[in-house]
Amino acid sequence: MNDRFPRGRTAVVGAATFGMGEAPGFDSMDLAVHASLKALRAAHLTPQDVDGLFVCLPQDFLSGLSMSEYFGIQPRVTDNNRTGGSAFLTHMLWAALALEAGQCDVALIAYGSNQRTGAGRLVSAQKQPYFEAMYRPQMPVSAYALAASRHMHEFGTTPEQLAQVAVSARAWAAKNPEAFMREPLSVHDVLSARRVADPLGVRDCCLVTDGAAAIVMTRADRARDHAAAPVYLLGAAAATTHCAISAMPDLTVTAAAQSGARAFAQSGYTPRDMDVVELYDAFTINTLLFLEDLGFCPKGEGGRFVEDGRIAPGGTLPVNTNGGGLSCVHPGMYGLFTVVEAVEQLMGTAGDRQVRDARLALAHGNGGTLSSQATVILGREETL
């Protein structure tokens, strides 16, 4: 395969969140629009400048059309691709290609959901095959519990190691004023919490919140006109292995092994070069699987890798520096929030949680039940 990804020829020039946690009175479109306006203002742009719109809202399957109408714009390019939480990183891939081809000049990627105040529970839109439904699983948590159980069986991963993922995320959230849960959390707290689907307890599971995120992308030759420190897209790739968890080829290996390898190859960098890593941590097992599959540690070593605070503040690899889906925000689909946090870290605007001298970042999205994976590598200007 001849991969001609336009490395470093597009950049993120604006990023924002809105309505984090609880936003009563706002519907999903309202939230996405407010985040978009914040991101556009940060880039000194308006909705009328947007000619490429990439959006995926939870209940609106024509959101590319309805958001265009809401803004009163007529974009040349719209994309409503839906692969779950990975969708927005695939939007970045297609936005980069559209910008490079001259199909658009300003791309807006947006998401919003009022899942907490609107539904009040974790919602799975994925259709279950009959041979799964007959066992009455509590989706999506039952699927991830299955993966966690298999990882424990094959590699000796322990509940304490899974708990360390949640504890590390909470330590980062304590530094983030926008995070929904900032109270201290211990390994004991995680292990003693109510069980949801064995071996996962409630603290192994993502939050149910409202929230919205948006980013603005343009070509590199225009980036300096819109941001003091643009964040360049150095690599982007996606991969899919299945839809239903019962069809996953190997419960301990995700398609991140494919998307990550291609994104790193495009970027010219390796996992060892990353200063910041933002992963889709819908459940604690996700972080272990993605650290392994993206090349930060060998397969089966994820549990041991996260011990002793390695991914927490002060550790050697800052992971999910906003608190992640486990402690910061998770409004149905979390993928775009990984990108916003990576951008803020590279722009140097992350406040108390800022990673010193961050130059390179990885953001990774997960869709379905470990079904669709998407990886982007981002860098400051000196990394081009």
Side-chain angles (χ1 to χ4, degrees):
M1 181 183 68
N2 187 6
D3 192 336
R4 296 183 179 179
F5 182 79
R7 179 195 185 276
R9 297 204 288 272
T10 62
V12 178
V13 292
T17 60
F18 181 82
M20 303 274 275
E22 293 182 334
F26 292 89
D27 67 18
S28 296
M29 178 66 78
D30 295 331
L31 293 167
V33 165
H34 278 279
S36 298
L37 291 173
K38 284 180 66 178
L40 287 165
R41 281 195 296 269
H44 312 292
L45 293 165
T46 70
Q48 284 64 42
D49 295 308
V50 175
D51 54 1
L53 179 61
F54 301 76
V55 60
C56 171
L57 298 182
Q59 293 90 17
D60 185 351
F61 286 79
L62 296 178
S63 49
L65 308 183
S66 51
M67 193 169 187
S68 298
E69 182 179 84
Y70 193 115
F71 276 135
I73 61 176
Q74 299 178 348
R76 291 190 284 161
V77 175
T78 59
D79 192 328
N80 204 173
N81 175 39
R82 305 178 73 88
T83 57
S86 60
F88 313 96
L89 288 82
T90 67
H91 290 168
M92 294 183 72
L93 166 60
W94 292 112
L97 296 176
L99 289 163
E100 173 69 7
Q103 293 292 319
C104 62
D105 296 316
V106 175
L108 172 66
I109 302 173
Y111 174 71
S113 171
N114 65 339
Q115 187 179 66
R116 184 176 181 86
T117 56
R121 61 187 177 88
L122 193 62
V123 176
S124 176
Q126 187 172 332
K127 183 180 178 181
Q128 288 178 243
Y130 76 91
F131 44 81
E132 288 185 11
M134 65 188 295
Y135 293 102
R136 299 181 182 178
Q138 187 177 359
M139 288 299 189
V141 62
S142 294
Y144 289 86
L146 190 64
S149 295
R150 188 64 191 178
H151 203 276
M152 289 175 160
H153 173 74
E154 285 201 28
F155 306 115
T157 305
T158 67
E160 289 78 9
Q161 290 168 339
L162 289 173
Q164 188 61 58
V165 173
V167 170
S168 297
R170 183 64 61 85
W172 283 112
K175 296 175 173 290
N176 182 4
E178 282 197 319
F180 188 63
M181 296 192 74
R182 304 179 66 198
E183 301 82 4
L185 185 71
S186 69
V187 169
H188 173 75
D189 293 333
V190 179
L191 297 179
S192 60
R194 173 176 57 87
R195 295 296 92 185
V196 180
D198 191 61
L200 303 180
V202 68
R203 294 293 166 241
D204 291 288
C205 303
C206 63
L207 304 173
V208 177
T209 70
D210 299 337
I215 64 169
V216 180
M217 292 177 61
T218 191
R219 283 186 292 278
D221 58 4
R222 301 181 55 187
R224 275 289 183 180
D225 296 333
H226 299 287
V231 174
Y232 297 87
L233 184 57
L234 305 179
T240 300
T241 49
H242 61 281
C243 182
I245 192 70
S246 54
M248 188 172 180
D250 183 334
L251 287 167
T252 68
V253 180
T254 74
Q258 302 170 39
S259 64
R262 285 189 279 119
F264 277 123
Q266 293 164 359
S267 74
Y269 291 101
T270 71
R272 290 189 299 274
D273 299 313
M274 297 299 106
D275 299 305
V276 178
V277 177
E278 309 296 342
L279 304 176
Y280 197 120
D281 59 338
F283 302 92
T284 50
I285 186 61
N286 292 38
T287 300
L288 303 191
L289 291 173
F290 298 150
L291 286 170
E292 293 170 355
D293 292 341
L294 292 168
F296 292 96
C297 64
K299 176 54 64 180
E301 291 292 321
R304 285 174 282 278
F305 185 83
V306 301
E307 289 179 333
D308 302 321
R310 181 177 286 185
I311 64 173
T316 56
L317 183 68
V319 173
N320 295 344
T321 51
N322 62 348
L326 291 169
S327 283
C328 178
V329 65
H330 196 290
M333 291 186 280
Y334 174 68
L336 193 51
F337 296 88
T338 69
V339 178
V340 171
E341 178 64 15
V343 168
E344 291 189 355
Q345 288 287 344
L346 296 182
M347 285 186 170
T349 59
D352 290 343
R353 66 189 187 278
Q354 179 67 51
V355 175
R356 184 176 179 181
D357 299 326
R359 299 167 58 251
L360 288 162
L362 176 146
H364 182 80
N366 163 71
T369 49
L370 296 172
S371 314
S372 169
Q373 307 298 327
T375 311
V376 299
I377 309 297
L378 301 162
R380 291 176 59 89
E381 188 171 24
E382 61 264 32
T383 67
L384 292 173

